Each structure stands twice: as structure tokens, then as C-alpha cells.
Amino acid sequence: MTPPVRPTVSLRTCARRAITALLGTVALFAANPAEAQKARNVILFLGDAGGLPTLNAAGILAHDRPQSLFIHTMPHMALSDTSSLNRWVTDSGAGMTAIMTGQKTNNAMVSVVPTADGSGTDPVKTVLEYAEQRGLSTGVITNKAIWDATPAATYAHVAARSGRDDIFHQLLAPRFGDGVDILVGKGRKDAETSFAKLGQSPAAAFARAGYLYGDDPTALSADVRRSAILRDQDFLPTPTVEAAISSLRRNRKGYFLMVEWDMHTDDPEAGLRHAVEMDDMIRRVSAIAGKDTLILFVADHSFGLRLRGGLRATPLSQQYAAAQKPAAGPHPLIDIDDTHTGEEVVAVASGPGSEKLHGFVPNTQLFDVMMQAYGWTPDR
Ligand SMILES: [Zn+2]
């Protein structure tokens, strides 16, 4: 009797071979985890002056619970030194230069370092410029002036942060790629003043460079590849960042986005609201950005704000509203000494490459974390 044909055997063999092949592929990835975990996109959230004391007070004022912010749930963290090349307490120019270029510089300098003989400065390439050079899309969003030191350190190189005209000039004369693709910030009148000195209008200059120029962030969409939104009023952070991402993510090579939200304040409630706004932004962006995105939050320096009191049984905001600042001495609940301070700031991250962030680190290491996440080697 002829035995029945047993196709299941050959199917089993096929399946076994397929599984073996699959395991081989998995093993390849496991042997080279860096390949498997590269970031296509990096989003840097820069809390300007958003040190631990500010985050602590903001979270409790908003939610009446400790460690209640979204950033408190992010999986990887480090404490970053913020000292500059020449000062223990940095300004935003030197602080952001370290993060964007991996080089410490003197206070007030923007993505340049002093030459060895001290007679001048040399530009240092920024993460945004590496991204432009490689054909990625790039964006800069800030609730400060677009030419202010922190956003400027992503795309410009000046020896003095006060060099507004030069910063605007460099914005439209990029060293790599076609320059920042999505720009949203304040300083519309500043732009008019700076471009007028060249006999130009910012509207014409940005249009010539291929930008949709306007003052309304709701004009941003997936259909607008290059846009410069300059205004002098506040704007809604989360919808603006979401719209920017919808445009940037259309580039298959990926994108780099820097979002700065200023937390300096002489009014605790206003400053702490900005901290909560940024936290809400990061929560939302973490939900939509995709697994191939490194999300990094860090401050450029800390700030002299302290939570000094308060009962747990009553909302802190009610207690703050009821409390009077004494004529002399600190406020009993939330006191502000309106100055930068020198202690380490927290850096938190999620996504590919975020596991590199741990321990006490110099602020220059944040540059390394972003570059390694992309899988890029710095030129130098
Ligand atoms: Zn700053």
C-alpha cells in the first residue's frame, strides 16, 4: 500500500527553515543593536531656566502631587552640568551652544568658540546644521524672539548674542542645506528693523528663500514645507508644535526640531505655567511622534525659584493667592531670586538613543546623545 503523501512534513521543514532564517535576522539585529535603534527624528525640548526647583514647584502648583509632570515618567535621565567655558553660571548663549555643538564657550557667545590665541572666534557646527547637511527637515519653535540666544544657537554663529542683524542675516544665509524649514517665534518688529537696514522687508526676504511668511501659527500644516511665523504675541504651544511636526515628518529622511519654552520669571505663577505648558507639549508629542523619535527635555541652566512652604491639605494655588509677600525677605511659599543659578539641571529622554543618558554629565554630552541617536559622527 502506498503511504499517503504527507505534505505536512515538507510544510514543517519549510516553517523550520523560515524560522531559522528569521532567527538569523533577529540575531543580526541583536549583534548590532545600534543599527536597530537609530532615531529618524530628534525633538529637543529646551526649558529655558527650567531647573529642578522650577519643575518641582510647577508640578505641585498644577497638580498638588509630587513628581506629577509627564517628564517625571520619562525612562532615562541625567543631571547635566551647565557651567560655561569662562563662568560657573552660564547664560543662554553658552548653555545652548554646549547642547547644540558639544563645545563649551564663553557666556554671550552663540555657537562659536574663542580661537586659541583669544583674538577671535570660530563657528562650531550645530546638530541642526548636521541635519540640514544630510537632507533632513528642521524646525525651531520658541516663545522668545527667534533671534534670541537660545534659538539662534541652533542656526547662527555670532561672538555676541546682541548681534541681532547678523543673526537674521545668517538665518537666510545657511551654511548647510537650505536652512531651518519651519520657524515660529517672536520678534516680528525686530525682523522689520533688521531687514530695513538692508533696504529689505522680511516678508520679501523670507518669500525669496521659499518661506510662507506670516504671523499666524495656524497657517502651519502638512502641506507647507517651509514657513516663517514671526509675531509679537504669545501663541498656543501644543497645536503649533503638532502642526510643525505634521510638516517636518513628511521628509522620509527624518527631522530635527528644537522647541524652546521660556521659564524665566519674576512672577511665579506665569513662569510655572510655562513649565506646565511645556510638559503638556511633551506628553502630547510623545503620543504622536512615533517610536523612531528621540525626545529629549533639558534646561540650559537653572533659576533662582524655590518652593519654601505650603500645606498638603489645601491646593497650593489657593495658598499662594492668599499669601502676602512680606515687605522684606522671601515669599513664604514660592520665592524668586530673578537670576540664573549654577546647580545641575535634569535632562530626561525617551526613544532611540535615550538609554545613553544617565549619571552626572557635562551639558556637552547632550550633543553626543543626539548625534549618536541619529548614528552620526561629528566632523572633528
Ligand atoms: Zn536660558
Side-chain angles (χ1 to χ4, degrees), residues 96 140-142 144-156 258 260:
M96 189 58 163
V140 173
I141 298 174
T142 175
K144 296 182 85 171
I146 200 74
W147 64 272
D148 199 41
T150 302
T154 67
Y155 62 81
M258 192 289 290
E260 177 201 25

Side-chain angles (χ1 to χ4, degrees), residues 48 92 264 300-301:
D48 202 315
S92 296
H264 287 89
D300 51 349
H301 49 77

Side-chain angles (χ1 to χ4, degrees), residues 58-135:
I60 292 173
L61 196 67
H63 307 299
D64 288 299
R65 282 183 291 117
Q67 300 184 341
S68 59
L69 297 176
F70 178 78
I71 60 169
H72 288 124
T73 70
M74 290 174 75
H76 298 285
M77 63 164 282
L79 290 169
S80 170
D81 161 59
T82 63
S83 61
S84 71
L85 187 62
N86 66 339
R87 301 287 179 98
W88 291 121
V89 178
T90 192
D91 80 319
S92 296
M96 189 58 163
T97 296
I99 296 166
M100 288 305 298
T101 73
Q103 302 274 309
K104 285 200 187 257
T105 194
N106 291 345
N107 279 17
M109 291 187 174
V110 174
S111 290
V112 297
V113 290
T115 52
D117 64 3
S119 65
T121 59
D122 287 326
V124 200
K125 196 167 168 183
T126 72
V127 176
L128 185 144
E129 289 177 320
Y130 281 100
E132 276 292 329
Q133 185 180 32
R134 284 163 174 74

